[in-house]
Amino acid sequence: MAITQVTVPYLSGYDFGVGADLASGSPMGLVVEGQPSGVPGAAGATASFDITRIHSTSELEKSLGIDVEASYGCAAFGAGMSARFSFAQKSMVQSSSLFLAITANVSLEFISIKGPSLTEPAKGLVGRPDVFSTRYGNMFVRGVGRGGLFVGVIQIDTSNSADSESISAELSGSYGLFSGDAKTHLDSLQKKFRSEIHISVYHEGGPVDLAMNDIQNPVELYELLVRWLQSLEHEPDKYSKPYYTTLAPIQIADGPMPPNAADVQHAQDVLIYCAKERSAILDNINLLGFVRQHPANYVWTEPTTPDTITQALTTYQADLDLVAHCASQAINDVTKAVTPADFAAATGSSYPKGTMPMPMPASKAGATVVVPDFSGCATWDACNRLAAEKHLNAVNQVAAAAEPGKETPFKVLSQIPTAGESLPEGSNVTVVTQHVALARIFSLRNINLVATPPP
């Protein structure tokens, strides 16, 4: 399979025709020329608006326009996404609190190079693929989307996860937070459930002076969003900015095939896997951190103690650091891209080290819940959502591929404990799965890649 076009958040240094390295997303030399233009008669804008409950870090990342599958892992650990990933990490999504996200996207006319061709200096290096890739990379900026992105996160901390569900129900759904009497109603709920509310905002494009007078008033957050949308509607050239980019393979402009195309593909699968592992690890770190900060809200059962929670946090942090180093190796040298477990073994360590303490401390007001059946989940996000509905923590264990050279779809193979058993809220359920990412990681080196002919 050939390298295909990917869509990534805009990175400083990107411009039409600029080369880029797929693994790191780093901008390189000007490699392609051609007149950028839009689609005739299609200069209108596209806008979307959504309010949804967030159950996991990966769900928040998708609200931020970070989809490692769609971007093929490109720049998942690079500077291009650092601001968005930083916001997702600081939001500290975990199952003991209620998280709501209000998201808006505005896309103005998309501009791209329709007939890309190599620059004269680049043509002179076509016969030297190694030098060519060092100077220009393996992708080029073909299109740039202007507009903006707005994400506001409302976090309502409570004494236990059952109270979070009660608050969600009493608000009559997510939109109840933005009704005329929302502030009064929310104040009443905060006193009733002894909850705390935090609001944080991230936006690309729009005025720089967006601010809330009362940072605990969700109605003001909605008014902030309206101001942001109106700025892009009335003065799009002033307030819009490039916020996503399409990177296309240089081969479509008659550039050379990368000398290590199979390794590039393999490295991208490793980065996708590392990005997903990072999100899952952050969910566990956030939950453990919340428990450690609110020990009085929980009933502790031996052998689990607050020190046990701290020790578990340390091991998950070690896993997070190892995943980052593993991804960095894949970016710096695609020929050395390996999975975190193999990377750990090569460095005399092990992965994963982190495990959730058993039993997890139960919320004082939390009840015993029945373990659901995860066998019908078609994705890991679906497993996370099902666990969150029961106030449980789903821990993923990926089974080794039965046929390493064959791609396998995501599937739940088993779970511990089994469906129907009872556990305290906040407990772990290990879900053993198979999915395509690992199969592709082990099989890509055996694929013969053929360059895609110019369109």
Side-chain angles (χ1 to χ4, degrees):
M1 62 185 284
I3 298 173
T4 58
Q5 179 171 288
V6 299
T7 300
V8 299
Y10 176 79
L11 173 63
S12 296
Y14 281 170
D15 202 349
F16 293 104
V18 168
D21 174 65
L22 181 61
S24 66
S26 176
M28 305 186 81
L30 182 65
V31 63
V32 164
E33 55 190 5
Q35 184 61 40
S37 62
V39 177
T46 300
S48 64
F49 170 75
D50 183 59
I51 301 175
T52 185
R53 183 170 179 181
I54 298 295
H55 295 92
S56 65
T57 300
S58 62
E59 288 183 354
L60 179 56
E61 289 171 352
K62 288 180 179 178
S63 295
L64 286 160
I66 303 170
D67 189 335
V68 294
E69 293 282 4
S71 68
Y72 206 16
C74 180
F77 289 83
M81 291 191 181
S82 61
R84 298 186 190 184
F85 271 121
S86 177
F87 179 79
Q89 186 170 355
K90 289 178 180 177
S91 295
M92 301 187 71
V93 178
Q94 40 78 26
S95 59
S96 289
S97 300
L98 175 65
F99 286 83
L100 299 170
I102 177 170
T103 308
N105 290 275
V106 174
S107 298
L108 304 177
E109 183 182 17
F110 180 75
I111 307 296
S112 66
I113 301 175
K114 292 183 175 61
S117 60
L118 294 180
T119 61
E120 289 302 319
K123 289 179 182 178
L125 293 175
V126 169
R128 303 175 62 188
D130 53 340
V131 177
F132 188 100
S133 61
T134 299
R135 184 171 298 180
Y136 300 116
N138 43 38
M139 309 290 281
F140 74 96
V141 177
R142 187 174 193 180
V144 175
R146 293 184 308 129
L149 167 70
F150 181 103
V151 178
V153 174
I154 302 172
Q155 175 183 351
I156 303 177
D157 291 337
T158 62
S159 299
N160 55 74
S161 52
D163 284 354
S164 296
E165 297 296 330
S166 298
I167 291 176
S168 179
E170 291 205 32
L171 287 172
S172 301
S174 303
Y175 287 90
L177 274 172
F178 305 101
S179 60
D181 61 348
K183 178 59 173 164
T184 301
H185 189 31
L186 192 57
D187 285 343
S188 174
L189 289 174
Q190 285 183 266
K191 292 177 181 177
K192 177 179 178 181
F193 292 100
R194 299 185 299 280
S195 61
E196 298 178 0
I197 182 170
H198 311 276
I199 296 177
S200 53
V201 174
Y202 176 86
H203 68 94
E204 296 177 11
V208 297
D209 60 346
L210 291 179
M212 298 170 59
N213 293 320
D214 183 353
I215 60 173
Q216 290 192 332
N217 188 351
V219 176
E220 286 198 24
L221 174 60
Y222 179 76
E223 293 170 349
L224 208 66
L225 171 65
V226 171
R227 282 184 55 203
W228 181 84
L229 286 169
Q230 289 176 340
S231 71
L232 289 169
E233 175 188 2
H234 299 310
E235 297 182 89
D237 291 338
K238 178 179 179 180
Y239 290 116
S240 67
K241 66 168 294 183
Y243 80 103
Y244 74 93
T245 306
T246 58
L247 303 181
I250 291 177
Q251 299 96 278
I252 70 171
D254 293 331
M257 190 73 173
N260 54 352
D263 290 325
V264 171
Q265 294 277 7
H266 175 71
Q268 296 316 122
D269 267 3
V270 169
L271 290 175
I272 290 173
Y273 183 67
C274 286
K276 291 180 176 180
E277 288 289 287
R278 174 175 57 185
S279 297
I281 292 170
L282 284 174
D283 286 339
N284 290 328
I285 287 177
N286 294 342
L287 178 58
L288 290 168
F290 187 84
V291 172
R292 186 173 67 170
Q293 292 171 12
H294 305 86
N297 294 343
Y298 294 88
V299 176
W300 299 82
T301 303
E302 293 291 345
T304 304
T305 67
D307 286 341
T308 309
I309 298 296
T310 300
Q311 292 167 9
L313 268 171
T314 300
T315 57
Y316 274 116
Q317 186 60 57
D319 284 345
L320 192 65
D321 293 341
L322 186 139
V323 166
H325 291 143
C326 176
S328 179
Q329 176 172 283
I331 290 171
N332 294 332
D333 187 345
V334 295
T335 65
K336 296 181 179 179
V338 293
T339 60
D342 290 338
F343 178 85
T347 56
S349 184
S350 62
Y351 179 88
K353 291 182 177 179
T355 56
M356 297 294 282
M358 289 297 286
M360 278 290 288
S363 301
K364 285 187 175 178
T368 299
V369 294
V370 176
V371 177
D373 184 358
F374 290 87
S375 63
C377 295
T379 65
W380 180 244
D381 281 345
C383 291
N384 268 327
R385 287 193 295 271
L386 182 58
E389 288 172 2
K390 295 292 185 179
H391 317 305
L392 297 170
N393 181 56
V395 178
N396 191 200
Q397 180 178 325
V398 181
E403 299 180 64
K406 181 181 178 181
E407 292 191 359
T408 54
F410 180 94
K411 181 180 180 181
V412 175
L413 302 177
S414 62
Q415 65 180 77
I416 303 172
T418 58
E421 294 188 35
S422 296
L423 286 179
E425 286 185 335
S427 297
N428 278 2
V429 177
T430 299
V431 182
V432 182
T433 66
Q434 70 174 21
H435 65 84
V436 66
L438 279 181
R440 292 177 69 193
I441 285 173
F442 291 115
S443 66
L444 274 172
R445 290 185 180 276
N446 299 321
I447 294 176
N448 293 320
L449 299 175
V450 180
T452 301

